């Protein structure tokens, strides 16, 4: 567990996925339920500003702009709570490290930063502990690029980086570890679209409204205890989605004869399970916390450089 700090503030990353919220060491779904009274059964809840928020309750509906309601702010507090609880700390000053899709940086960076900084002092209850947090700053970084910042020297020649999340796919080219400025994309082509296609296929063919958790389990590890006929339908639909995803990657310029590909995010498993790409040309990173871990490193290096520049 790394402890990266700048001016005594802990750099804490939150990866605000369209399916899951991740810190460097925790993960939970982005569905929350707001209550005015303390939950009777659930123990995984947050109390903030007089309200209770039950965590890990399915998935929030996709929204391109995460600042249009307060949900992702509450989820940020929950992420801080889980990370600090794991560290055994109840009082901390924090510099947040967050990310937005690489091609939406210009339009979303500043608004997302101000959204994160709306309250400099935060007090909340989690797991019967009271937490006092001071937010000292926030750095917003480009998804995809930030995720490989620590290993940039390893990318020799031409490489395509593909980050397949729940809502979006971010892709970019690196030439000898340097980003190619006009070769960066954000596409609405995430794992969520595949899950919806499978759900609809099962509904159309068998009139069965299969639980989302079953579909997600299948997509991640292909191990589900369901009828073989249903499983065949799910796999067939997943392959169709991956064929479309692979076609999109090829359209963006991937050529396995002349370059390599580095794939991360929740969709990495899908591409590994169902694509026809040459595996010898692909490196898969299945660590769901990878973005958050690298946000912290990317943020730390950027802030250190800025500080040294100001001193100089």
């Amino acid at each position: 567990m790394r402890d990266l700090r700048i001016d005594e503030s802990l750099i804490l990353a939150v990866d605000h996925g369209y399916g899951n919220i991740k810190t460097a060491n925790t993960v939970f779904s982005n569905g929350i339920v707001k209550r005015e009274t303390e939950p009777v059964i659930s123990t995984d809840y947050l109390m903030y500003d007089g309200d209770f928020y039950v965590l890990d309750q399915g998935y929030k509906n996709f929204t391109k702009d995460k600042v249009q309601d307060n949900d992702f702010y509450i989820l940020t507090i929950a992420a801080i709570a889980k990370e600090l609880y794991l560290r055994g700390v109840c009082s901390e000053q924090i510099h947040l490290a967050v990310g937005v899709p690489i091609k939406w940086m210009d339009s979303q960076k500043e608004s997302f930063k101000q959204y994160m900084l709306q309250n400099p002092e935060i007090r909340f209850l989690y797991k019967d502990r009271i937490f006092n947090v001071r937010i000292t700053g926030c750095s917003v970084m480009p998804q995809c690029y930030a995720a490989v910042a620590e290993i940039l020297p390893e990318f020799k020649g031409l490489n395509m980086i593909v980050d397949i999340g729940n809502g979006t796919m971010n892709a970019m080219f690196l030439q000898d570890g340097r980003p190619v400025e006009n070769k960066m994309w954000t596409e609405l082509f995430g794992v969520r679209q595949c899950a919806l296609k499978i759900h609809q296929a099962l509904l159309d063919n068998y009139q069965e409204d299969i639980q989302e958790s079953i579909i997600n389990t299948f997509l991640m590890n292909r191990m589900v205890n369901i009828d073989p006929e249903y499983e065949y339908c799910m796999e067939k639909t997943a392959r169709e989605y991956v064929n479309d995803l692979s076609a999109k990657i090829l359209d963006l310029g991937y050529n396995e004869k002349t370059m390599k590909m580095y794939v991360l995010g929740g969709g990495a498993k899908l591409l590994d399970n169902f694509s026809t790409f040459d595996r010898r040309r692909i490196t898969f990173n299945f660590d769901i916390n990878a973005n958050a871990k690298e946000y912290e490193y990317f943020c730390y290096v950027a802030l250190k450089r800025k500080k040294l520049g100001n001193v100089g």
Side-chain angles (χ1 to χ4, degrees):
M1 188 179 294
R2 291 199 290 197
D3 190 273
L4 300 177
R5 292 181 180 268
I6 190 76
D7 294 331
E8 299 185 358
S9 291
L10 174 69
I11 297 174
L12 194 153
V14 182
D15 179 9
H16 298 85
Y18 288 107
N20 294 304
I21 306 297
K22 287 86 65 179
T23 67
N25 303 289
T26 71
V27 57
F28 60 103
S29 75
N30 68 4
I32 54 175
V33 174
K34 181 179 178 180
R35 294 172 51 95
E36 294 182 354
T37 58
E38 185 175 359
V40 177
I41 299 175
S42 176
T43 59
D44 192 18
Y45 66 85
L46 176 82
M47 187 182 80
Y48 171 71
D49 199 23
D51 291 311
F52 296 88
Y53 298 89
V54 184
L55 309 176
D56 229 354
Q57 299 296 298
Y59 298 96
K60 178 179 171 61
N61 290 333
F62 176 82
T63 172
K64 183 177 178 181
D65 190 351
K66 294 175 181 176
V67 305
Q68 70 175 18
D69 59 35
N70 215 39
D71 287 356
F72 278 102
Y73 184 71
I74 297 299
L75 288 164
T76 302
I77 297 175
I80 292 171
K82 287 177 176 288
E83 185 71 20
L84 293 186
Y85 181 83
L86 192 64
R87 292 169 178 260
V89 176
C90 292
S91 181
E92 185 64 271
Q93 59 181 38
I94 288 173
H95 184 105
L96 286 169
V98 300
V100 297
I102 193 166
K103 288 299 287 185
W104 298 350
M105 277 287 287
D106 289 343
S107 61
Q108 293 189 356
K109 178 180 179 179
E110 191 57 34
S111 62
F112 200 48
K113 179 178 180 178
Q114 295 308 314
Y115 180 78
M116 291 289 107
L117 295 175
Q118 59 184 278
N119 294 305
E121 305 285 342
I122 306 173
R123 181 181 172 89
F124 53 88
L125 177 76
Y126 180 70
K127 297 285 187 181
D128 295 323
R129 297 183 187 179
I130 295 175
F131 292 79
N132 292 284
V133 173
R134 181 167 175 254
I135 305 298
T136 59
C138 176
S139 297
V140 182
M141 292 155 294
Q143 289 178 14
C144 197
Y145 180 63
V148 296
E150 198 167 358
I151 56 173
L152 285 175
E154 297 179 15
F155 293 101
K156 306 300 183 182
L158 190 59
N159 288 266
M160 186 176 189
I161 313 300
V162 182
D163 182 358
I164 309 169
N166 196 66
T168 61
M169 178 186 75
N170 291 280
M172 66 180 298
F173 282 138
L174 294 177
Q175 179 65 57
D176 294 321
R178 299 187 302 273
V180 180
E181 191 63 33
N182 64 341
K183 295 288 186 180
M184 303 178 187
W185 304 269
T186 294
E187 303 281 343
L188 296 176
F189 220 114
V191 178
R192 176 70 171 162
Q193 283 83 349
C194 182
L196 291 174
K197 285 179 180 293
I198 291 175
H199 183 271
Q200 191 60 50
L202 292 169
L203 198 61
D204 291 344
N205 287 289
Y206 307 108
Q207 294 74 56
E208 288 285 356
D209 187 9
I210 301 297
Q211 290 181 349
E212 192 170 17
S213 60
I214 295 176
I215 297 174
N216 288 330
T217 298
F218 169 78
L219 291 177
M220 291 303 102
N221 56 37
R222 301 178 72 177
M223 294 177 63
V224 286
N225 187 20
I226 60 173
D227 187 279
E229 191 174 1
Y230 286 16
E231 187 172 359
Y232 173 79
C233 178
M234 293 168 72
E235 181 165 331
K236 179 176 180 292
T237 308
R239 288 188 183 280
E240 291 171 355
Y241 164 82
V242 171
N243 286 341
D244 291 340
L245 178 63
S246 300
K248 173 60 69 174
I249 291 172
L250 292 172
D251 285 344
L252 295 179
Y254 178 63
N255 182 341
E256 61 187 9
K257 301 294 184 182
T258 61
M259 64 184 74
K260 292 184 177 181
M261 181 161 46
Y262 184 93
V263 186
L264 70 156
K269 272 289 185 182
L270 273 178
L271 213 61
D272 185 36
N273 286 335
F274 301 114
S275 79
T276 58
F277 287 130
D278 184 351
R279 298 301 188 278
R280 294 171 298 177
R281 307 293 292 175
I282 301 178
T283 298
F284 289 100
N285 184 345
F286 298 125
D287 183 1
I288 196 170
N289 302 92
N291 266 310
K293 291 174 182 176
E294 295 308 316
Y295 286 173
E296 291 184 350
Y297 174 81
F298 189 96
C299 178
Y300 175 74
V301 171
L303 291 175
K304 275 288 190 182
R305 285 177 179 169
K306 182 178 180 179
K307 187 175 181 180
L308 290 173
N310 290 337
V311 171

